[in-house]
Amino acid sequence: MNNIILITGTTSGFGKAIAEKFASNGWNCIITGRRKEKLFSLADELKSKYNIKLLPLVFDVQKRKEVFDVLTNLPAEWSDINILVNNAGLALGRDSFENANLDDWDTMLDTNVKGLMYVSKAVIPYLIEKKQGHIINIGSIAGKEVYQFGNGYCASKFAVDALSKSMRIDLLSKNIKVTAIHPGAAETEFSLVRFKGDADKAASVYNGFIPLYAENIADIVYYVATLPPSVCINELIVTPTAQANAYLFHKV
Ligand code: NDP
Ligand code: 8X3
């Protein structure tokens, strides 16, 4: 099968928009997430809208055995993967270091760092076999600059930055591109998850300015993924126009 992309975390936000963008351009998509119903309903929707093939895989990126059981046993027709997008991730809480919740730190590091490492380690052999590939890691502006109360989340995204650089070096001889995309504030389910279902608090993050939307990031991922084989965008920091850095916004 031609043109296969594997995207983690496609039940909402960036991942869902990335899946739609590639599907609408004829790509066959392996989509993943923990929420089975949302995942399967996206698979049905994209299949019928775009007449492409979809493989929905339900697993938790934090669970090493699950990740390897699922991804190292892909059906043969799906093993010819061109692109891996490591997108699954989350923030939990926004507290000062001394008040931050230890379980939140564990979950962020297990998901954003170790989950990305497990998924990549399981998928890279397919790219090596193919003698070409592209890994696109969704980092964050929080992985380039630290902001107040960002502690555990920032640490996890600084790790994504480091891993992206490290992969680019280690995979150089394998003809595998590595791109890190570092978005600023984007209105998805991100803040609802971060503030544990507090919808007012989540919405207030985006008051007074126009944030990024998931489709903006999907367009950028599609652009970096469709450049000539000899061209690799190493990294991009993408913010709303009203955001200057990890903590300075112009709100009206
Ligand atoms: P959403 O909450 O909308 O989407 C997150 C996705 O990640 C969901 O599909 C969720 O699926 C999946 N996910 C979370 N934890 C796990 C897990 N343990 N195993 C498998 N899948 C998981 O947020 P965004 O789309 O905004 O976030 C996507 C990425 O972008 C994250 O890495 C985030 O850190 C990053 N980011 C977000 C920014 C923003 O402002 N929104 C800015 C910069 C970076 P499910 O719950 O079904 O498992
Ligand atoms: C998400 C953006 O600024 O909330 O990574 O950390 S921010």
Side-chain angles (χ1 to χ4, degrees):
M1 205 190 308
N2 280 334
N3 286 358
I4 300 177
I5 183 167
L6 190 164
I7 308 148
T8 64
T10 56
T11 54
S12 70
F14 297 164
K16 187 176 179 188
I18 294 165
E20 171 123 31
K21 179 74 187 179
F22 280 80
S24 70
N25 282 282
W27 283 69
N28 302 301
C29 302
I30 304 175
I31 58 175
T32 85
R34 291 166 301 177
R35 286 171 292 176
K36 188 176 176 182
E37 267 184 29
K38 279 182 182 279
L39 196 68
F40 278 70
S41 101
L42 179 68
D44 289 343
E45 182 193 328
L46 296 183
K47 245 189 278 185
S48 66
K49 254 167 110 175
Y50 302 115
N51 192 29
I52 43 104
K53 293 195 172 152
L54 258 297
L55 178 64
L57 300 174
V58 179
F59 63 87
D60 183 334
V61 299
Q62 298 173 90
K63 297 190 175 148
R64 185 163 112 181
K65 187 173 181 319
E66 258 182 48
V67 170
F68 283 91
D69 282 352
V70 174
L71 292 179
T72 60
N73 291 302
L74 288 179
E77 60 164 349
W78 284 100
S79 65
D80 212 13
I81 296 170
N82 304 77
I83 302 173
L84 163 66
V85 182
N86 280 309
N87 165 74
L90 80 175
L92 286 173
R94 196 164 173 159
D95 305 295
S96 73
F97 194 94
E98 73 278 17
N99 294 329
N101 179 295
L102 285 172
D103 290 334
D104 288 350
W105 278 355
D106 281 344
T107 305
M108 288 189 281
L109 290 162
D110 287 350
T111 307
N112 301 353
V113 184
K114 288 165 71 181
L116 180 148
M117 294 170 87
Y118 297 156
V119 170
S120 302
K121 193 89 161 61
V123 170
I124 283 168
Y126 297 115
L127 305 180
I128 291 178
E129 174 75 23
K130 199 174 164 62
K131 297 190 168 56
Q132 67 175 61
H134 197 165
I135 299 172
I136 301 175
N137 293 329
I138 305 297
S140 170
I141 196 162
K144 305 300 281 184
E145 291 171 285
V146 173
Y147 55 81
Q148 191 182 27
F149 306 147
N151 44 68
Y153 182 66
C154 291
S156 76
K157 289 298 186 175
F158 268 72
V160 173
D161 188 33
L163 287 167
S164 302
K165 289 174 176 151
S166 163
M167 285 178 180
R168 194 173 306 112
I169 293 168
D170 292 352
L171 298 172
L172 183 63
S173 64
K174 308 291 185 199
N175 197 29
I176 295 173
K177 300 185 194 187
V178 180
T179 300
I181 296 177
H182 301 288
E187 192 164 13
T188 60
E189 290 182 12
F190 177 84
S191 290
L192 195 62
V193 171
R194 177 173 227 171
F195 298 120
K196 302 173 183 175
D198 185 335
D200 291 339
K201 203 167 174 186
S204 73
V205 172
Y206 311 104
N207 281 346
F209 71 104
I210 301 173
L212 295 171
Y213 295 106
E215 292 69 26
N216 304 137
I217 298 304
D219 287 349
I220 290 163
V221 170
Y222 189 75
Y223 173 74
V224 304
T226 51
L227 287 166
S230 56
V231 180
C232 176
I233 292 188
N234 287 201
E235 61 179 15
L236 289 174
I237 298 175
V238 185
T239 64
T241 306
Q243 180 178 10
N245 60 27
Y247 49 85
L248 188 62
F249 291 81
H250 178 63
K251 296 194 177 190
V252 289

